[in-house]
Amino acid sequence: MATRFDPFHEMDRVLGQVLAADRASATMPMDLYRDGDHYVLHVDLPGADPGTIDVSVDDRTLTIRAQRSPRTEHDVQWLAKERPVGTYARQLTVGRGLALDRISATYNDGVLTLTVPVAEEAKPRRVEVQHGAPATPIEATATAD
């Protein structure tokens, strides 16, 4: 039985694998939710070296960086190499009302978890309304010119 070789199909397949790997390395999937008086952000960083994870805040921009080092096996013939390597980076612009100076971070099982508290001035609060007390009259006084 003859096998037909289509060089364009093969080139398309290889190019698709390369582009898919580039797309995967450029993303950091995340979940974000509010739990009471703080926000929780989970960022997937599988295989990242914990020593390379950096979280920083500049004004209202939260930046997350991490690096995944390439495997350095010698004298091997790769059959598939799809796991992305290099530096991951993601920036989020956050709104006002967060206590960015009190962010806590943990890294466990390939997931970076940031907890961002809501600032005290942004928390909902009740304002007591006074009622039933008579208003204090304001007396006008004449001034001599």
Side-chain angles (χ1 to χ4, degrees):
M1 176 178 208
T3 304
R4 191 176 126 199
F5 177 73
D6 181 357
F8 293 104
H9 176 71
E10 186 66 15
M11 189 166 45
D12 186 49
R13 183 187 66 77
V14 171
L15 186 60
Q17 285 180 340
V18 169
L19 292 178
D22 284 345
R23 263 193 314 272
S25 67
T27 63
M28 292 175 148
M30 70 174 204
D31 292 333
L32 173 65
Y33 57 90
R34 183 170 179 167
D35 183 12
D37 62 352
H38 59 276
Y39 289 88
V40 178
L41 175 69
H42 297 289
V43 181
D44 287 349
L45 296 172
D49 176 16
T52 68
I53 297 174
D54 179 56
V55 178
S56 62
V57 177
D58 183 13
D59 191 25
R60 298 322 246 161
T61 303
L62 174 69
T63 303
I64 303 166
R65 282 189 189 359
Q67 186 169 351
R68 185 174 183 179
S69 301
R71 304 286 305 225
T72 57
E73 287 83 1
H74 297 290
D75 300 326
V76 299
Q77 179 184 7
W78 290 99
L79 302 176
K81 192 171 183 180
E82 299 174 351
R83 297 173 51 198
V85 296
T87 301
Y88 298 78
R90 184 153 190 182
Q91 289 187 318
L92 303 168
T93 302
V94 296
R96 303 235 179 257
L98 298 177
L100 298 177
D101 58 333
R102 295 192 344 236
I103 294 175
S104 64
T106 59
Y107 181 65
N108 192 23
D109 295 332
V111 178
L112 174 67
T113 300
L114 301 178
T115 303
V116 185
V118 174
E120 289 299 320
E121 63 271 8
K123 290 182 181 177
R125 58 192 166 276
R126 288 187 66 83
V127 175
E128 188 176 330
V129 178
Q130 299 291 327
H131 58 85
T136 305
I138 298 175
E139 295 183 24
T141 57
T143 58
D145 289 334

